[in-house]
Amino acid sequence: MQRKEQTGLPIRYADRGEGPVLVLLHGFVGNADYWERVVPMLEGHFRCIVPDLLGHGESEAPTGPYTIEQLADGVLQLLDVLDIEQAILLGHSMGGYTALSFAERYPERLRAFGLVHSMPLPDDEAGKEKRTAVAERVLREGTKPFVEQSAPNWFAPNAAAHMPAELDRVLQIGYDTKPEGAAGAALAMRERPDRGHVIRESKLPILLIAGSEDGIAPPEKAFAAENAHTSKFVIEGCGHMSLFEAPQELARHIASFAESL
């Protein structure tokens, strides 16, 4: 992992491989290591840039709340520092919300973008209340209790029990998330707007990937908006974490999409 000192926002990131640039964004209480099983299958054909987003990993975790726009702007700053004019931007879960914000405001910097187990829809009122509760809980108890309770549910039903190494890795990454970062990001997700129009109106190719057993972003939500250039895939038997549950299939869909551009 490398590090770039940005204006008030140090970002740790991986920069591996050569070729068309793929920027891969992790989800909530994750970090760049979420992509560690996928990048080795892509770096032979693409330059993979994988950052820690604001509040996560080794990036700065100031007291929040944050906004999804702030997370996206951190990605923009990193591309500027690395002199990358255009990239294919893909985001997992919260990273997908970040990718949508980026695509809405900086489409000229993208060749394409996509959502992996994410969606363009905003939280409903019950969802907003849960985000608030999560933020309050992690500040009160630390991140570990929340991650221990939640992470098994990110896998397909009963899958986590059969994937102890994968679950343990997700837990360890989650434990390393600073409480201030987790709280700030939870509140950012709470306030994100509906961005279905970004997908519907975009002239860019878009990749949407869902898991058939995803209880957080099921296919009907993941595919809630599309355009004429949308590629959609469902990974059967997979929950919210294809990066760990089905990394080979995820990498295959990403590579096929990127090579078709």
Side-chain angles (χ1 to χ4, degrees):
M1 290 288 184
Q2 304 176 60
R3 178 186 288 278
K4 287 290 183 189
E5 295 295 329
Q6 303 185 54
T7 358
L9 183 61
I11 282 193
R12 182 191 70 146
Y13 66 98
D15 184 351
R16 292 169 56 178
E18 295 182 358
V21 177
L22 277 176
V23 178
L24 304 171
L25 306 180
H26 62 79
F28 182 58
V29 296
N31 64 32
D33 294 338
Y34 258 28
W35 292 93
E36 64 191 7
R37 287 163 167 77
V38 179
V39 168
M41 292 181 270
L42 296 173
E43 62 183 338
H45 303 279
F46 306 98
R47 180 183 177 188
C48 298
I49 307 294
V50 195
D52 288 349
L53 294 172
L54 174 68
H56 292 73
E58 294 180 20
S59 286
E60 188 179 37
T63 301
Y66 308 156
T67 65
I68 293 297
E69 289 71 29
Q70 279 180 287
L71 273 65
D73 288 347
V75 176
L76 177 68
Q77 290 175 39
L78 182 60
L79 294 184
D80 287 344
V81 169
L82 296 177
D83 293 320
I84 294 172
E85 291 186 10
Q86 283 195 321
I88 302 163
L89 178 63
L90 304 176
H92 168 250
S93 195
M94 180 187 74
Y97 309 150
T98 305
L100 277 173
S101 172
F102 192 107
E104 181 176 42
R105 295 177 298 131
Y106 312 117
E108 72 282 356
R109 302 297 297 270
L110 298 178
R111 293 183 60 210
F113 68 95
L115 312 184
V116 178
H117 306 299
S118 190
M119 57 182 159
L121 305 172
D123 282 349
D124 59 18
E125 288 308 311
K128 289 182 178 182
E129 289 177 7
K130 288 180 182 177
R131 302 287 190 197
T132 303
V134 167
E136 292 172 349
R137 180 183 183 186
V138 295
L139 289 175
R140 184 176 63 250
E141 303 176 359
T143 311
K144 187 174 181 179
F146 165 76
V147 172
E148 286 183 337
Q149 179 182 5
S150 304
N153 300 319
W154 299 338
F155 290 73
N158 304 315
H162 304 291
M163 308 182 84
E166 289 79 2
L167 175 59
D168 184 65
R169 186 64 177 131
V170 171
L171 290 170
Q172 293 304 319
I173 292 170
Y175 295 162
D176 286 341
T177 308
K178 300 177 184 69
E180 295 81 5
L187 297 178
M189 291 189 290
R190 182 188 70 185
E191 298 304 320
R192 75 186 191 279
D194 187 327
R195 284 200 164 98
H197 67 280
V198 178
I199 293 177
R200 290 188 295 270
E201 297 168 9
S202 178
K203 295 178 171 52
L204 295 168
I206 297 171
L207 175 65
L208 302 176
I209 294 177
S212 66
E213 307 304 314
D214 189 342
I216 299 171
E220 61 269 22
K221 291 184 177 180
F223 303 154
E226 58 184 280
N227 69 10
H229 318 287
T230 301
S231 300
K232 301 184 294 184
F233 299 99
V234 174
I235 301 180
E236 294 297 332
C238 185
H240 196 62
M241 299 295 284
S242 64
L243 301 84
F244 294 89
E245 295 175 86
Q248 290 181 317
E249 187 169 353
L250 176 59
R252 185 168 69 250
H253 288 313
I254 291 173
S256 175
F257 173 76
E259 288 166 354
S260 73
L261 300 176

